[in-house]
Amino acid sequence: MVDEQAIIEAKDKFEKLLRKQLERVEVLKNEGEPVDYDKLDKLIIGVCGGDGIGPYICASAQRVMEFLLKDRIEAGKAEIRVIDGLTIERRVEVMKAIPDDTLAELKECHLILKGPTTTPKKGDPWPNIESANVAMRKELDLFANVRPVSVPELGIDWTFYRENTEGSYALGSDGMNVTDDLAMDFCVATSQGTERIIRAGFEFAKKTGKNYVSIITKGNIIKTTDGKFLSMAEDIAKDYPEVKWDDWFIDITTAKLIDPARRSAFKVFVLPNLYGDIITDEAAQIQGGVGTAGSANIGTKYAMFEAIHGSAPRMVDEGRAQYADPCSMIKAVAMMMDHMGETEKAKKLNMALDVCCQFEKKLVMTGRDTGATGNEFADYIMETMQRDDLEAVWQGYIDELIAANQ
Ligand code: IPM
Ligand code: MG
C-alpha cells in the first residue's frame, strides 16, 4: 500500500524547497559587480577561530597576516576584527549554523579568515545542525571554492574551481525521509550558479596563461544537473577560444590524478560541489596532506579563506592544540593576499611556506611537544619571508628536486 499521506506531506515540503531555490535564482539574476578592494576606504578583515584547534592555528595565521598588512593597518587602511561566536557551543545554544549576531558581524567584513569548525553528523553528541562552513558559503554567496595544489618536482600545478553553493550541498540539510523506508536528497544546478563558476575557471585559465580547463562531472549518470553543467560548459567555452578544454567523469579523474603519465597535463579543473569536495582532498594528499592546502571561498561581495581540514578535537582533548600545524591557515592567508591584489606578498609567503615546511625544515611540527608550536613555526615563516635571498634559496631547492626526479 502506498502511503498517500506521506506523498502529500513530501509534496508540500518539496514545494517549499522549490520556492526557495527559485527565489534564489531571482537574487542571482541581480548580482552586483565584484568588490574593488583598491577603492575601499578601509578593508575590513574578520577572523573567526572556529572550534578545536581552529583558534590556535587561526591565531598563528593572524599574526602572519598582521605582519604582512602592517603598513595598511598602521595607515588605517585595513582593520582586523576578531569575531567570536562561531563555536559549536554557541551554535548549538541558538540551534543555528551561524548565530544571527555573528552573521551580522561577518557581513560587515570584506574578507574573512576562518578556522575549521565542527560539522556535526548523525550520531555525534551535538544536535545534527547544518555545517557552519556550508551555511557561510551560502549566506555570503561564496560561489567559487578555489583550491590550488602544486608539486613542482612532479610538474603538478593544479587549480580546482569547485562550485560552492549548489549541487548536493544546496539542500544537504533539507533531504526528506518520505516514509520510514524511503529517504531522498536533492541536487541543485541553476543556470546562473553554473555559469558563474565555469566562467570563473575559464577566466582564471585565460588570465594566468594556463589555458587548459577540465570540466569534471558524472554527466552519464546524473543526467540533469551534471548534464546542465556540461552543456553550459560547452557553450561558455566558445567565449574562450584560446583556452583548450575537455571533460572527464569524476571516477576516472580520481584515477588520473595518481597517473604519472597524465596528471601533470591537467591545469584547471571546474566541477560541481561534491566532486570538488572529494577530489580536492585527494589532490591535497598528493601535495603532502590536507594540512598543506588552503582554500579560498570567493563571492561577489565577500571572500573567506580557510584550511581544507577539520578541527581535530582530539588534539585539544589531549592538551596539544598549541602544537597543531598552522600551515594550511597560513596558506589561506597567502590566498587572501593574492585575492586582495598583494601578489608580491602572496608569492613571498608561498615561497617561505615551501622553504620552511618542505625544504629547509629548521623547525618541524610533530603535533606534539617533540616538535615546534604553531606560533614558533609562524615566527620561522615570518623570519624566512624577510630573507633577502628567499627567492634564490627557494629556486635552488626546486631545481634540486626537479633534477632528482629526472
Ligand atoms: C571542505 C570540508 C567541508 C565541506 C566540511 C567541513 C563541511 O570538507 O571544505 O572541503 O564538505 O565542504
Ligand atoms: Mg572537504
Side-chain angles (χ1 to χ4, degrees), residues 137 147 162 169 276-278 280-281 290 308-309:
R137 292 168 186 168
R147 299 183 162 180
R162 163 187 175 189
Y169 277 64
D277 174 49
I278 296 167
T280 52
D281 270 15
V290 288
I308 80 163
H309 58 72

Side-chain angles (χ1 to χ4, degrees), residues 64 292 325-328 330-331 347-366 372-387 390 393-395 397-398:
V64 175
T292 64
D325 186 344
C327 288
S328 53
I330 297 177
K331 188 100 194 162
K347 191 177 154 198
K348 269 200 173 156
L349 180 50
N350 278 321
M351 286 191 297
L353 275 163
D354 284 349
V355 169
C356 299
C357 302
Q358 298 180 44
F359 305 143
E360 188 186 67
K361 297 185 190 168
K362 252 189 353 212
L363 287 184
V364 283
M365 304 229 45
T366 60
T373 65
N375 269 333
E376 284 162 357
F377 209 81
D379 286 336
Y380 174 35
I381 288 174
M382 287 188 274
E383 280 157 25
T384 306
M385 242 187 315
Q386 293 175 81
R387 283 172 63 166
L390 174 60
V393 168
W394 178 82
Q395 193 61 53
Y397 283 117
I398 298 285

